[in-house]
Amino acid sequence: MGEVADLELGPGQSIFVGDPLRMVLAGLEEESRFPYVVEAAGYAVGVLTLQAGAARLAGWPDEDSAWLLRGFLIDRRHQGQGLGPLAATSAVDAAAKLTARRGTHEAGVVLSVNETNPAGLSAYRTAGFVDQGQYLGGSSGPQRTMYRSFTG
Ligand SMILES: CC(C)(COP(=O)(O)OP(=O)(O)OC[C@H]1O[C@@H](n2cnc3c(N)ncnc32)[C@H](O)[C@@H]1OP(=O)(O)O)[C@@H](O)C(=O)NCCC(=O)NCCS
């Protein structure tokens, strides 16, 4: 947790994502959330959370047919090295395993990313997420809904 508390965002990035430590703690308190620490070479370099029953928060038409990926960030000192796409890909694998373990019916992972966040848009595209259109439900401007199925 100490390493998670030391994760930093780059300038201007705090509008895209919340405080890392707070997100992980919130994740531990809620049964529907599964927080993960992204590790590289044994060090914490990022965090992400998978949430069940919350896909509408990313502009998905229902709550339960996809996992919501939220609270995703790579520490600013490790950005730009391809870790984001690797972590997003691993998140899809982890989500598929959770679905199998829990016996639920999600078919993939959905997220929303701010239209003015080129690093995010690019990282998700590289990880195989496909743009599903604009979503205006966020609090910090227009988002894109992006989805990757477990099979795709
Ligand atoms: C979005 C994020 C997770 C991507 O992770 P990443 O490890 O930097 O991903 P990549 O290394 O693939 O970089 C993504 C793109 O941003 C560019 N980039 C990222 N950091 C950079 C930096 N410090 N300097 C220059 N370019 C950078 C990369 O060149 C790449 O562009 P390209 O695909 O056109 O070549 C990370 O930038 C981040 O944590 N951002 C802040 C929080 C956030 O926006 N989260 C997503 C909310 S939905």
Side-chain angles (χ1 to χ4, degrees):
M1 280 301 178
E3 284 183 44
V4 172
D6 286 340
L7 296 175
E8 289 177 13
L9 288 165
Q13 291 184 333
S14 59
I15 60 158
F16 299 137
V17 72
D19 174 72
L21 184 59
R22 198 171 306 159
M23 285 186 300
V24 171
L25 293 176
L28 292 173
E29 278 170 15
E30 263 185 61
E31 214 174 282
S32 64
R33 295 196 196 201
F34 297 81
Y36 292 84
V37 174
V38 180
E39 277 187 14
Y43 292 96
V45 296
V47 291
L48 61 88
T49 293
L50 290 168
Q51 184 167 4
R56 278 206 180 96
L57 287 176
W60 199 241
D62 65 74
E63 297 286 36
D64 296 312
S65 67
W67 285 91
L68 175 68
L69 173 59
R70 66 188 303 177
F72 181 42
L73 69 92
I74 298 292
D75 177 87
R76 68 171 177 81
R77 292 154 292 197
H78 296 90
Q79 291 177 13
Q81 300 166 22
L83 292 171
L86 282 177
T89 302
S90 300
V92 176
D93 293 342
K97 286 190 184 129
L98 284 172
T99 291
R101 195 174 83 204
R102 289 158 44 96
T104 47
H105 302 287
E106 299 88 357
V109 176
V110 69
L111 58 89
S112 65
V113 53
N114 199 290
E115 285 186 353
T116 62
N117 184 355
L121 290 162
S122 170
Y124 294 130
R125 230 178 280 127
T126 305
F129 283 78
V130 178
D131 192 336
Q132 307 287 316
Q134 196 179 49
Y135 173 55
L136 296 172
S139 56
S140 50
Q143 314 268 320
R144 306 305 301 182
T145 296
M146 296 185 81
Y147 175 76
R148 202 189 122 176
S149 77
F150 292 149
T151 50

